[in-house]
Amino acid sequence: MGDTVLCREGYGSSRVKKNYVSTNDGQLVVVDRSPTGTSVSHFFRSVFLPQGYPESVSQDYLEYQIWDTIQAFASSITGTLAAQAVLKGVGVGDENATVLAATMTWILKDGTGMLGRIVFTWLRGSSLDCNSKRWRLFADILNDLAIFIEILAPNFKSIFTPLVCTAGVCKSIVGVAGGATRAALTQHQARRNNMADVSAKDGSQETLVNLAALLCNLALIPLVTGRQTLIWFLYVIFTCLHLYANYSAVKCVVMETMNQSRLNLIVKDLLDSSHIPSIQQTNQSEPVVFSKLLCNSAKDLKELLLIYKENPYLLGLNLKQGEIYIALSEGSGTADQLQSCYQAEVINYVYENLYKNKTLHSSLSPIVRALEAGDVQGTLTASLAYTNSTIEAFRQGMLQQGWALDPVLLNANEWRARWDSDGVTDKKDF
């Protein structure tokens, strides 16, 4: 009798294979059936990639990480150039410089950075989840600006400290925005409740990149010291690479969650072609620079209460300023947030196309007539009727395309109102 294979074992979708064989003499032997070189690649995969890759992460993971690696390398190079400039500015190598002056400059730089971190988190912390792509790109642009200021600062001795403090504030904002959006992207990439593993392996990848950049910097710094033209040339080259890599990184991310930008694109495509676009198509079209979205305001409250008295939200319109404002009730939920923003996008679509001689669907005619007449109340009533008649089909179409409708990242704050069905409102709740 020959050897008998009792069990075959494989590591996920990789080519690492093992057979457990029973020999003629009753021994159990493990036979490695992996192709040549697989063990080495398996080692590096296990060190730098999440367990279960690629099934355990989103489809955009690899492309994003490649661009992220490139941008991290470029940022490390320019960061070293900036560090050298700051050290020169505080007096390293200058016999006339004092330890006290250098220490005070460093303390002021760190202190203003801490204050900047607190203020930025207070002002913008709640919007980082909703627009993670935009804030990620914003953080990297601001990081390049901070590096520019630090390289420039030693040339202006009289205002060196204010300049490095400004750079410190910029870098503190980068830390908050970059860290928060990295967490949001990690949550998107982790598909097996493995956020910790994805985050840890991302840290390992970044450490490896920084080590590679460190070796380059060891060779680069002696060559550029004292040569300002070469320093600025390298800064421009690596900054352009850094920005391009970051733009490519955020553009390749395909998120299934709903935010205002993606909702805007979906509603436009739906009303143009009666078709809900795919997740991939919408993400490719999503802008990654800041644009004006819905605004908050409060006008003609009594009229709004009459129109929306049975609804869990109020939606108002200011035609003169082109603003839409929404107030949510105490009992409103995720579905109500989506519906209110859907109605706002319908009004916005009709408003944008009103004078473009574009033929709109007949179901939008009441909204068109009201807007042409400047009738705000009529516009709100007609758009609410249209929303109520189409919202369920809209939700079902979204689900069929694979969109996640809970949670929705529409940047709703914590203010909530309460009104009775007869339109009477307790003023203390506003």
Side-chain angles (χ1 to χ4, degrees):
M1 294 178 63
D3 296 343
T4 304
V5 178
L6 300 178
C7 178
R8 292 179 174 85
E9 186 178 31
Y11 188 86
S13 62
S14 71
R15 295 185 297 169
V16 177
K17 309 290 181 184
K18 293 181 180 180
N19 288 352
Y20 292 82
V21 179
S22 175
T23 62
N24 290 333
D25 57 1
Q27 298 294 318
L28 181 64
V29 179
V30 180
V31 180
D32 191 345
R33 305 296 296 176
S34 307
T36 304
T38 304
S39 58
V40 176
S41 64
H42 175 67
F43 169 76
F44 281 100
R45 282 166 64 102
S46 63
V47 172
F48 295 108
L49 294 174
Q51 180 173 303
Y53 171 86
E55 290 85 1
S56 63
V57 293
S58 58
Q59 293 183 353
D60 54 23
Y61 177 83
L62 180 60
E63 184 179 359
Y64 174 83
Q65 293 302 128
I66 291 173
W67 287 117
D68 190 53
T69 297
I70 294 172
Q71 71 84 21
F73 179 83
S75 181
S76 294
I77 298 296
T78 55
T80 299
L81 298 177
Q84 183 193 40
V86 172
L87 290 174
K88 177 183 177 183
V90 297
V92 174
D94 185 355
E95 295 180 356
N96 298 321
T98 64
V99 175
L100 177 61
T103 303
M104 292 299 293
T105 299
W106 216 267
I107 291 174
L108 288 172
K109 175 178 176 290
D110 289 346
T112 52
M114 294 174 189
L115 290 175
R117 186 179 297 115
I118 294 171
V119 172
F120 177 77
T121 303
W122 168 51
L123 294 174
R124 295 297 180 184
S126 61
S127 66
L128 297 177
D129 275 316
C130 304
N131 298 296
S132 55
K133 294 183 187 181
R134 292 176 177 177
W135 282 113
R136 169 60 195 272
L137 187 58
F138 168 82
D140 288 301
I141 293 173
L142 194 62
N143 181 65
D144 290 332
L145 176 62
I147 291 173
F148 172 79
I149 294 173
E150 287 180 338
I151 295 176
L152 191 67
N155 298 306
F156 299 91
K157 295 291 186 181
S158 61
I159 56 171
F160 175 79
T161 299
L163 285 175
V164 294
C165 288
T166 302
V169 172
C170 292
K171 286 194 171 182
S172 69
I173 294 173
V174 170
V176 175
T181 54
R182 183 180 293 272
L185 291 170
T186 300
Q187 185 178 32
H188 156 71
Q189 292 172 338
R191 294 306 166 98
R192 290 184 180 173
N193 295 319
N194 56 338
M195 274 190 64
D197 186 31
V198 173
S199 179
K201 296 302 170 58
D202 181 70
S204 295
Q205 294 169 25
E206 186 169 353
T207 301
L208 181 64
V209 173
N210 288 335
L211 283 172
L214 177 64
L215 296 176
C216 291
N217 287 325
L218 288 174
L220 191 64
I221 289 301
L223 297 176
V224 302
T225 301
R227 303 172 67 180
Q228 284 296 311
T229 302
L230 182 57
I231 288 175
W232 283 112
F233 174 77
L234 292 174
Y235 169 79
V236 170
I237 293 297
F238 282 101
T239 296
C240 291
L241 178 62
H242 180 246
L243 292 176
Y244 179 76
N246 273 293
Y247 178 81
S248 299
V250 296
K251 288 297 289 184
C252 79
V253 174
V254 180
M255 306 189 84
E256 300 88 357
T257 50
M258 187 60 52
N259 68 3
Q260 194 67 51
S261 295
R262 293 191 277 274
L263 179 61
N264 176 267
L265 293 169
I266 291 168
V267 173
K268 282 184 177 180
D269 201 64
L270 174 64
L271 297 179
D272 277 337
S273 61
S274 300
H275 168 73
I276 292 178
S278 66
I279 296 173
Q280 181 78 30
Q281 178 185 345
T282 303
N283 276 266
Q284 287 178 350
S285 302
E286 180 185 5
V288 289
V289 293
F290 290 100
S291 60
K292 188 176 182 181
L293 299 177
L294 301 182
C295 301
N296 294 323
S297 184
K299 297 180 74 175
D300 305 321
L301 184 56
K302 291 183 178 179
E303 292 183 2
L304 294 181
L305 291 172
L306 291 174
I307 297 171
Y308 295 98
K309 60 183 179 181
E310 301 293 341
N311 284 62
Y313 66 87
L314 304 176
L315 186 147
L317 176 64
N318 188 328
L319 288 176
K320 291 183 179 180
Q321 298 183 12
E323 294 180 346
I324 297 173
Y325 44 95
I326 297 171
L328 298 170
S329 73
E330 288 180 339
S332 61
T334 300
D336 302 314
Q337 292 181 32
L338 179 60
Q339 180 172 337
S340 64
C341 288
Y342 171 74
Q343 182 182 349
E345 292 296 349
V346 170
I347 296 173
N348 181 64
Y349 173 83
V350 177
Y351 183 83
E352 286 184 347
N353 291 282
L354 193 59
Y355 302 107
K356 293 182 180 180
N357 296 321
K358 185 174 182 178
T359 302
L360 302 180
H361 194 275
S362 58
S363 59
L364 298 172
S365 297
I367 307 175
V368 173
R369 289 193 294 269
L371 280 175
E372 287 178 334
D375 182 1
V376 172
Q377 188 171 359
T379 300
L380 297 177
T381 303
S383 62
L384 179 61
Y386 178 87
T387 299
N388 288 335
S389 65
T390 60
I391 186 63
E392 190 56 38
F394 175 73
R395 289 197 182 102
Q396 292 303 317
M398 294 283 287
L399 292 173
Q400 289 174 7
Q401 287 285 5
W403 288 99
L405 300 185
D406 190 14
V408 291
L409 305 176
L410 297 172
N411 202 24
N413 58 32
E414 295 303 309
W415 285 100
R416 295 295 183 270
R418 183 172 71 233
W419 58 89
D420 299 328
S421 59
D422 60 358
V424 178
T425 306
D426 185 351
K427 294 181 180 179
K428 292 185 291 184
D429 292 319
F430 278 85

